[in-house]
Amino acid sequence: MMTHAAYDCDVLVTGGGIVGLSTAYALTRAAPGTRVTVLEKESGPARHQTGRNSGVIHSGIYYRPGSLKARYALRGSAELADFCAEHAVAHATTGKLIVATDRSELPRLHSLVQRGREHGLPVRELGPAQIAEYEPEVRGLAAIRVNTTGVCDFTAVAHRLAAEVGAAGGIVRYGAEVTAIDRRPWGVAVRTADGPVVRARTLVNCAGLHSDRVARLAGDDPGVRIVPFRGEYYALDRPELVRGLVYPVPDPAFPFLGVHLTRGFDGSVHVGPNAVPALAREGYTWPRVRPAELLSTLSWPGTWSIARRHWRYGAGEVHRSLSRSAFTRAVQRLLPAVTEDDLRPSPAGVRAQAVLRDGTLVDDFLIREAPHTVHVLNAPSPAATACLPIGREVARLALRRAQETGWKPPAVESGHCV
């Protein structure tokens, strides 16, 4: 058995996005004195999913009662707003409309009303005239208003979490890509591209777009493959057309919410995202191709199952990606006044979507444990909204795994990873 001094840290977190940093933050508060290190391959935090989303604090209305998404989003939205207020992070509670533009969507809209009430959310049903009271330029047959939805600067939240981890004695190392993991009876040894090997009692995998790869490096079969979907956004050059947040009625067959209108905390309005296959894990544009990653996607049986089941949906998304006029027509269903000239390309994001072997798109958060490891394998939207309760749960699992090495959380201890 290794001595305490032989470990570089007690818990090692891979991934400096909002989930990894919230896990490290939770560890420093649940067990003060626990030596925590975060390894992030980029030169700063929140460079991928965290910093490239629509910035919405979700209410939880979309998510199945009892699911992790519902439980953590409902709790996390209020906690995140409090965190932003405490740390002077830009945020606002704007409320949102979910708008039906076709009669076929009305039953699904009604189902969302029922779901919102099951969650205890303040949901108001609206007719066309009432829609115009909130959003004069938006058109629809019916809508629901959810007052608890908001927006915030998730990149700033991630920076604040990293600062809090550092203030508590933890370390966040940037430019430290994980290249090898050696699991031993005493814990894990992790090699990084910048050289040093880090020895820890427990490894927490919050690698997002690369979470399945990191799981395999640790010797675990994740049972899923990350299939990347790019979400493309446009900025609206006439932001006065939109007052708040406007969403279509989502299709329950897909984990994507559809193209929506988001007025951010800075007053800008973004339109999107669509959902098209990305040709690289970090494929933020069509020309960005990584053959090995593309082969990994194409060699997974679930990818072809998705293609067979949903090729019409996918073809429509690709068409709207390649044609701004087609994208504009889709937006005009909600916002008739918008024109093609109003839309200016904005940075895209890539969703790390876990897919089972049979082609099932994993719809809930997915966290799996193995000896000395905790893997967060699916944490798409609303993970940013739910980051604080997710972080506490992952931290709880990590501390339990660390104690299996004979370690006990220190009552009071300074010191940190090196």
Side-chain angles (χ1 to χ4, degrees), residues 83-225:
F83 182 92
C84 290
E86 179 183 352
H87 296 285
V89 173
H91 72 290
T93 302
T94 58
K96 95 174 156 188
L97 298 184
I98 304 173
V99 181
T101 58
D102 188 273
R103 293 191 65 83
S104 64
E105 297 171 340
L106 294 176
R108 281 184 272 147
L109 187 69
H110 182 69
S111 294
L112 285 177
V113 172
Q114 298 303 114
R115 180 167 289 184
R117 288 172 179 164
E118 286 182 56
H119 290 324
L121 295 171
V123 179
R124 182 187 176 197
E125 298 180 74
L126 308 176
Q130 294 164 311
I131 292 172
E133 292 176 14
Y134 288 102
E135 294 286 354
E137 299 296 336
V138 170
R139 298 292 180 267
L141 300 178
I144 57 178
R145 167 81 177 176
V146 187
N147 289 331
T148 52
T149 305
V151 292
C152 81
D153 184 345
F154 283 121
T155 298
V157 171
H159 278 275
R160 187 68 253 168
L161 289 168
E164 293 293 308
V165 170
I171 285 182
V172 182
R173 270 180 50 195
Y174 300 113
E177 182 177 2
V178 172
T179 57
I181 300 170
D182 185 11
R183 184 158 45 200
R184 301 291 183 85
W186 46 262
V188 293
V190 177
R191 182 175 295 280
T192 60
D194 59 349
V197 172
V198 184
R199 293 160 298 178
R201 298 176 185 275
T202 299
L203 172 69
V204 176
N205 169 15
C206 294
L209 287 159
H210 302 278
S211 57
D212 59 336
R213 182 180 66 84
V214 170
R216 290 194 296 274
L217 284 177
D220 296 322
D221 178 6
V224 299
R225 185 68 51 88

